[in-house]
Amino acid sequence: MFKRLTVVLLATLALTACDGVDPNSPLGQRKAIFKQMLKTSEDMGGMLRGRLPFDGVKFAEGAVKLDTLAHEPWQHFPQVRDEGDSSARAEVWERQARFQDLARQLEGVTGELVTVTRNPSLDAAQMKAPMDKVEAACKACHSEFRNH
């Protein structure tokens, strides 16, 4: 598990470096977090959609990781819009209250997902509705605040 996480982290950092973004900048840090969130949610969604075999333990671990990550990117949005190739629309800074509300909603549904994964006998059917809520929360924010 540690090796896999290290490889994913190094790959993410390498990709971030390739697009010319300083990995230590707020933009670089939030891009790295969002890439980890995407990878984690894609693996979890793959288990629910039959692309990957469902593994309750791995799914629960993914839920915890996704919940942790869901709390991290917001601190890397500075008070004023930063320079660089950001997918964030200007509305992030113009409508901060709404942006923060959607961030809290995502944190809430990832927390709910963690709660339902505490059941020792997980199956994919039980996880579909809570994961749909997580995906809907991501989509809601992307629709209002992301360029593509």
Side-chain angles (χ1 to χ4, degrees), residues 104-125:
R104 298 302 82 77
Q105 288 178 34
L106 176 63
E107 293 169 356
V109 294
T110 58
E112 290 172 15
L113 182 63
V114 169
T115 299
V116 297
T117 62
R118 291 188 179 130
N119 179 347
S121 58
L122 295 183
D123 67 42

Side-chain angles (χ1 to χ4, degrees), residues 6 22 94 101 146:
T6 302
D22 176 2
E94 295 165 0
D101 181 50
R146 189 168 186 241

Side-chain angles (χ1 to χ4, degrees), residues 65-129:
K65 180 178 179 183
L66 192 58
D67 183 50
T68 299
L69 290 168
H71 289 79
E72 293 181 7
W74 323 119
Q75 65 186 321
H76 301 293
F77 282 90
Q79 292 298 314
V80 294
R81 187 172 185 163
D82 47 2
E83 299 298 319
D85 186 23
S86 174
S87 297
R89 294 181 185 164
E91 287 87 346
V92 167
W93 293 272
E94 295 165 0
R95 298 174 46 221
Q96 262 301 297
R98 175 67 177 155
F99 180 70
Q100 293 299 323
D101 181 50
L102 290 175
R104 298 302 82 77
Q105 288 178 34
L106 176 63
E107 293 169 356
V109 294
T110 58
E112 290 172 15
L113 182 63
V114 169
T115 299
V116 297
T117 62
R118 291 188 179 130
N119 179 347
S121 58
L122 295 183
D123 67 42
Q126 293 173 312
M127 297 299 103
K128 186 175 178 347

